Amino acid sequence: MADTDKTPLLKTALIYDFDGTLARGNMQEVSFIPSVGVDIGAFWEEAERLTKQADGDGILMYMQLMLHHARQNGAPVTRETLRQHGEAVALFEGLKDLSWFDRINAFGARYGLEIEHYIISAGLEEMIEGTPIRPALKHVFASHYVYNEQGEAAWPAVGVNYTTKTQYLFRINKGVNNHWEHERINHFIPDDERPVPFERMIFIGDGDTDVPTMKMMHTKGGFSIAVYDPRSNEKDQKKVYSLISEDRVNFVAAADYREGSALDLIVKGLVGRIAINAGTMPAGF
């Protein structure tokens, strides 16, 4: 058994989607879309219409539409304005005070594991930067803009959609914390030389847009958990539970990050299983 006082902790990744997983609803809807004078429903309808007309990527189209309406409203988008909108995002219970991260980190350390927290999201990195949980995160892989000399968002630099999310599992697996470095991603690295093996990964997502990532995690030997808004209706909850019967996820739970919740117990159980499989479980546990 590992002696955690002498043996370096093994890196383990806890990876999250954002909208619907860590926060209620879509981050753009909380304050940004209302601030540019557009109805939320009308905004998404317009984004969908433009995406179909252009045969384009829906993420890039909504990002460009945000810039369009902001400019029309006389309020160019900057990193700071997006960060401020991120401050208004409604996080689920147990996250805002960082107690979830502190508790899971301490629990992992007891089992010889160093827990690193990542986000893979189609939402905006700049808004996530404004949330109180950002200091607890190792890295954020999310959509973001490129900025001009005046510091204004000029166009989308990265759009993370439901299929491209899967590539970021490999970036975490190989220790590549950026969007642009492809050589290391494509280069063969023996499994035992990768910083975070798939077997030491847990992915938490909320549904349809995360299914490819959940399925890949599931088949690669890692673990996946589907969460739902505790306030959602029974129909929406059943839809998430169907992911288990379809063998796409390992567990389903409400997005409640407080101590003693079902999600808390599931994640701790998986951390324990990872420790047993990795041989880091201290004697006496």
Side-chain angles (χ1 to χ4, degrees):
M1 297 296 179
D3 182 345
T4 55
D5 292 331
K6 299 178 181 179
T7 305
L9 303 182
L10 290 182
K11 291 183 183 297
T12 300
L14 193 49
I15 307 163
Y16 313 83
D17 172 49
F18 191 84
D19 291 335
T21 299
L22 297 177
R24 184 168 280 113
N26 294 316
M27 64 177 73
Q28 305 86 352
E29 298 175 0
V30 179
S31 62
F32 181 88
I33 294 176
S35 77
V36 295
V38 181
D39 175 77
I40 292 172
F43 177 89
W44 294 117
E45 287 176 6
E46 183 179 9
E48 183 177 6
R49 176 176 57 79
L50 293 172
T51 299
K52 290 179 179 179
Q53 283 181 355
D55 190 21
D57 180 273
I59 305 302
L60 297 177
M61 296 302 289
Y62 95 68
M63 292 174 69
Q64 188 61 29
L65 190 60
M66 287 176 64
L67 300 185
H68 169 73
H69 282 295
R71 290 164 182 158
Q72 280 200 325
N73 200 51
V77 173
T78 66
R79 289 184 187 275
E80 180 57 24
T81 57
L82 290 176
R83 190 196 66 78
Q84 290 174 357
H85 285 296
E87 293 175 358
V89 170
L91 298 171
F92 285 118
E93 294 288 346
L95 291 173
K96 192 172 183 178
D97 63 359
L98 304 184
S99 59
W100 163 262
F101 304 97
D102 294 338
R103 185 171 65 255
I104 297 301
N105 291 348
F107 187 85
R110 288 172 55 200
Y111 284 60
L113 303 173
E114 178 186 356
I115 309 295
E116 296 181 336
H117 302 268
Y118 295 84
I119 285 177
I120 303 176
S121 173
L124 296 176
E125 178 183 339
E126 295 92 336
M127 285 192 180
I128 296 172
E129 291 283 346
T131 67
I133 66 172
R134 182 59 184 90
L137 304 173
K138 172 73 174 181
H139 194 75
V140 174
F141 294 105
S143 306
H144 64 261
Y145 293 103
V146 63
Y147 295 82
N148 62 24
E149 294 178 354
Q150 290 72 45
E152 299 172 358
W155 61 80
V158 172
V160 178
N161 63 40
Y162 70 100
T163 52
T164 61
K165 281 184 175 184
T166 57
Q167 70 159 294
Y168 297 105
L169 298 180
F170 289 94
R171 291 185 180 275
I172 295 168
N173 174 237
K174 294 185 175 183
V176 181
N177 289 333
N178 59 57
H179 296 270
W180 56 266
E181 188 177 349
H182 302 301
E183 183 176 351
R184 183 171 173 81
I185 294 299
N186 295 324
H187 182 69
F188 173 74
I189 301 174
D191 288 345
D192 60 358
E193 295 180 13
R194 300 184 184 195
V196 189
F198 287 102
E199 294 82 3
R200 297 205 302 269
M201 290 185 184
I202 302 170
F203 180 79
I204 304 176
D206 69 304
D208 291 344
T209 61
D210 297 309
V211 165
T213 310
M214 291 176 176
K215 183 64 176 180
M216 176 174 286
M217 182 64 72
H218 196 35
T219 58
K220 283 284 188 180
F223 305 95
S224 56
I225 305 168
V227 296
Y228 58 86
D229 187 336
R231 300 180 186 175
S232 62
N233 58 45
E234 186 177 353
K235 180 180 178 181
D236 289 339
Q237 293 181 22
K238 284 183 177 179
K239 184 178 180 181
V240 176
Y241 274 101
S242 70
L243 295 174
I244 288 185
S245 63
E246 296 166 358
D247 196 32
R248 298 186 181 197
V249 300
N250 299 102
F251 299 94
V252 171
D256 182 345
Y257 295 83
R258 290 174 292 186
E259 187 169 13
S261 69
L263 182 59
D264 180 69
L265 297 176
I266 289 169
V267 170
K268 287 177 178 176
L270 291 177
V271 168
R273 186 185 302 182
I274 289 171
I276 291 172
N277 293 342
T280 63
M281 181 73 76
F285 279 82

